[in-house]
Amino acid sequence: MKSKALLLKIFLLVLILAIIYILTNHAESNKDEIKANHVKESLPLHEVMTSNKPLPTQQKIPTKQPLPSQQKMTIKQPLPSQQKMTIKQPLPKIYAIVTMPLLTKKDLQTKKYRTSTIEKIEERMSEFITGLQNTLNHECVYRVHFLYNESNVVDYVKARVKINTTKLVFNRVEDPRKHVTYFDFAYEKLQGEIAMYTPIDVYPGEGFRLINKDDLISKKLMYILTRHGKQEKNCDMGNISNNCNRKRYFGSHDSYIFVPNGPLSPEIRKALDYWSIVWGQENIAIHTFRTLGHFKVTNPCEVLFVYHIHCSNLRDSTRYRINTSANSGMAPPTNTLT
Ligand SMILES: *[C@@H]1O[C@H](CO)[C@@H](O)[C@H](O)[C@H]1NC(C)=O
Ligand SMILES: *[C@@H]1O[C@H](CO)[C@@H](O)[C@H](O)[C@H]1NC(C)=O
Ligand SMILES: *[C@@H]1O[C@H](CO)[C@@H](O)[C@H](O)[C@H]1NC(C)=O
Ligand SMILES: *[C@@H]1O[C@H](CO)[C@@H](O)[C@H](O)[C@H]1NC(C)=O
């Protein structure tokens, strides 16, 4: 009788243990399910697919590691250089200054264009618009200040420029053809900003993200760039004369980049008081900004590309050269910005 009772007790104990075992195992597998559901919500698709596999208990370990997205957010160490390159630097904000004449068939009666045709004049005007539109579309160009003194050119431009027009601002000035006008405008209206005077048929291309305003200010830099050429709609400008190729450079420059800071001295203003299209004005400007302006004037056209469009070949035939040996500066092509 006694041994029967003992057997029954042992049997009941085993039964209870078995029930406890089953119950706890069930709870464990529930936990796994909860984890798996949680993983489904927060993992990218390829991770979800692996977590859908039956989850043996060991698989809990990988899901406990920080998820890729969490890792990114919590890293405080300096990032490896590869990652640095993908971080977006703010783009330099360039305030371009441009102008253009309105050429019409009337100009065929002037000495300047007497030997030309209306087709050439129209082609030239369309090059001006293309140059302006390309400048407006450049990612580093924040504003384009268009200088004019007669409203018919404004109407002409407004009727033809259709893209990125919010960047385009028209400014009335006394004489948009004088070189000094661009610098007067920059020093009056663009103090502390990156100013770029560029002829209307020369537009910015590659390299402009590298422009550093702090360097321009602290090192008092002025870039006076020599142009490049490339395939344009109507011709290949890739082989133009006076380009940035070191062998072809002989003193011709096109676009100016600088930060106006403080006043523009009367001596500098006087030296720039010429028509901008005369030959050698840029050589006088290089000399003047070096000697009177105390700028470090360089020509990093091998890293900052500006492109010239002049397929029409229409030129003012009355241009003359104004620089002398006493006031000429040169800045041969370089590849360094500082
Ligand atoms: C307008 O200018 C932006 C740069 O500021 C450029 O990314 C965009 O392509 C331009 N729009 C067109 C249609 O070219
Ligand atoms: C605009 O400037 C040109 C010279 O660049 C001059 O001939 C013309 O008279 C000026 N027009 C006005 C309205 O001032
Ligand atoms: C580039 O210009 C040079 C000199 O004017 C000429 O000899 C050469 O054929 C031109 N090359 C092309 C591709 O037009
Ligand atoms: C005027 O500038 C050009 C470069 O554009 C240069 O070759 C020439 O020697 C300069 N003229 C004088 C007289 O120095």
Side-chain angles (χ1 to χ4, degrees):
M1 206 44 199
K2 247 188 184 175
S3 62
K4 247 191 186 172
L6 187 66
L7 269 179
L8 190 66
K9 274 182 192 167
I10 288 169
F11 173 76
L12 281 174
L13 193 66
V14 168
L15 192 68
I16 288 165
L17 283 174
I19 288 168
I20 288 172
Y21 177 80
I22 288 165
L23 282 178
T24 51
N25 255 11
H26 183 68
E28 274 296 304
S29 61
N30 262 355
K31 256 195 234 164
D32 283 350
E33 267 170 40
I34 290 164
K35 275 198 181 127
N37 280 340
H38 177 69
V39 162
K40 269 185 213 167
E41 279 164 23
S42 61
L43 278 184
L45 194 58
H46 68 280
E47 300 273 340
V48 173
M49 285 158 73
T50 59
S51 75
N52 268 350
K53 282 188 258 173
L55 274 178
T57 37
Q58 293 105 311
Q59 275 200 330
K60 274 187 273 172
I61 294 159
T63 66
K64 269 182 190 162
Q65 289 175 339
L67 302 172
S69 59
Q70 287 170 331
Q71 272 180 325
K72 265 184 214 149
M73 297 177 65
T74 55
I75 282 177
K76 281 186 181 130
Q77 297 159 342
L79 297 168
S81 56
Q82 269 183 330
Q83 275 178 298
K84 255 186 206 163
M85 291 174 65
T86 64
I87 287 178
K88 278 207 176 151
Q89 296 276 356
L91 293 172
K93 277 188 184 174
I94 294 173
Y95 292 72
I97 300 168
V98 301
T99 188
M100 67 185 229
L102 180 59
L103 301 177
T104 64
K105 63 174 189 292
K106 275 190 211 154
D107 290 275
L108 292 172
Q109 278 131 46
T110 66
K111 213 175 152 198
K112 293 174 180 179
Y113 303 108
R114 203 165 43 194
T115 59
S116 193
T117 62
I118 185 63
E119 290 76 22
K120 281 288 162 202
I121 290 209
E122 282 165 2
E123 189 185 349
R124 187 71 182 132
M125 289 305 293
S126 128
E127 285 170 349
F128 291 166
I129 296 296
T130 304
L132 173 58
Q133 186 68 72
N134 290 352
T135 299
L136 280 166
N137 289 352
H138 195 282
E139 60 174 3
C140 297
V141 170
Y142 181 70
R143 285 284 178 275
V144 175
H145 286 286
F146 187 105
L147 309 190
Y148 71 97
N149 74 339
E150 288 176 9
S151 58
N152 52 4
V153 73
V154 176
D155 299 338
Y156 184 92
V157 168
K158 280 186 176 165
R160 284 160 184 84
V161 169
K162 294 291 177 204
I163 303 163
N164 275 320
T165 50
T166 52
K167 294 183 186 182
L168 184 57
V169 185
F170 293 94
N171 305 266
R172 189 177 204 112
V173 294
E174 205 179 302
D175 192 343
R177 303 197 192 171
K178 286 275 178 73
H179 213 55
V180 68
T181 301
Y182 319 134
F183 296 92
D184 275 342
F185 182 84
Y187 274 81
E188 270 169 37
K189 298 282 173 30
L190 303 176
Q191 282 282 321
E193 304 292 356
I194 305 172
M196 173 179 182
Y197 165 68
T198 190
I200 195 85
D201 62 351
V202 177
Y203 63 91
E206 300 82 4
F208 278 68
R209 282 179 179 225
L210 301 171
I211 293 175
N212 183 311
K213 185 161 112 177
D214 297 335
D215 283 345
L216 288 171
I217 296 171
S218 66
K219 301 187 168 117
K220 201 154 186 197
L221 302 171
M222 181 178 284
Y223 304 142
I224 307 190
L225 303 172
T226 301
R227 67 210 188 179
H228 294 254
K230 66 179 176 191
Q231 179 68 49
E232 298 291 347
K233 195 172 128 230
N234 288 344
C235 74
D236 187 356
M237 294 292 296
N239 205 16
I240 47 170
S241 61
N242 303 338
N243 70 17
C244 178
N245 183 318
R246 287 185 193 201
K247 286 185 191 136
R248 285 171 171 254
Y249 171 80
F250 58 84
S252 165
H253 296 251
D254 303 274
S255 307
Y256 298 66
I257 298 171
F258 58 102
V259 176
N261 202 356
L264 187 65
S265 80
E267 295 76 23
I268 295 178
R269 296 194 66 256
K270 193 164 165 243
L272 304 177
D273 194 15
Y274 295 101
W275 301 122
S276 69
I277 62 155
V278 294
W279 286 311
Q281 172 65 87
E282 74 269 41
N283 305 104
I284 296 177
I286 291 170
H287 174 83
T288 303
F289 281 115
R290 277 180 182 155
T291 56
L292 300 175
H294 309 293
F295 276 93
K296 180 178 175 188
V297 179
T298 63
N299 179 15
C301 63
E302 291 174 352
V303 274
L304 299 180
F305 286 69
V306 293
Y307 291 101
H308 184 212
I309 319 181
H310 202 161
C311 297
S312 66
N313 246 329
L314 183 74
R315 284 188 170 78
D316 174 346
S317 63
T318 64
R319 291 165 80 184
Y320 49 94
R321 187 166 281 285
I322 58 163
N323 61 313
T324 68
S325 58
N327 66 10
S328 289
M330 302 280 260
T334 69
N335 57 14
T336 72
L337 287 169
T338 55

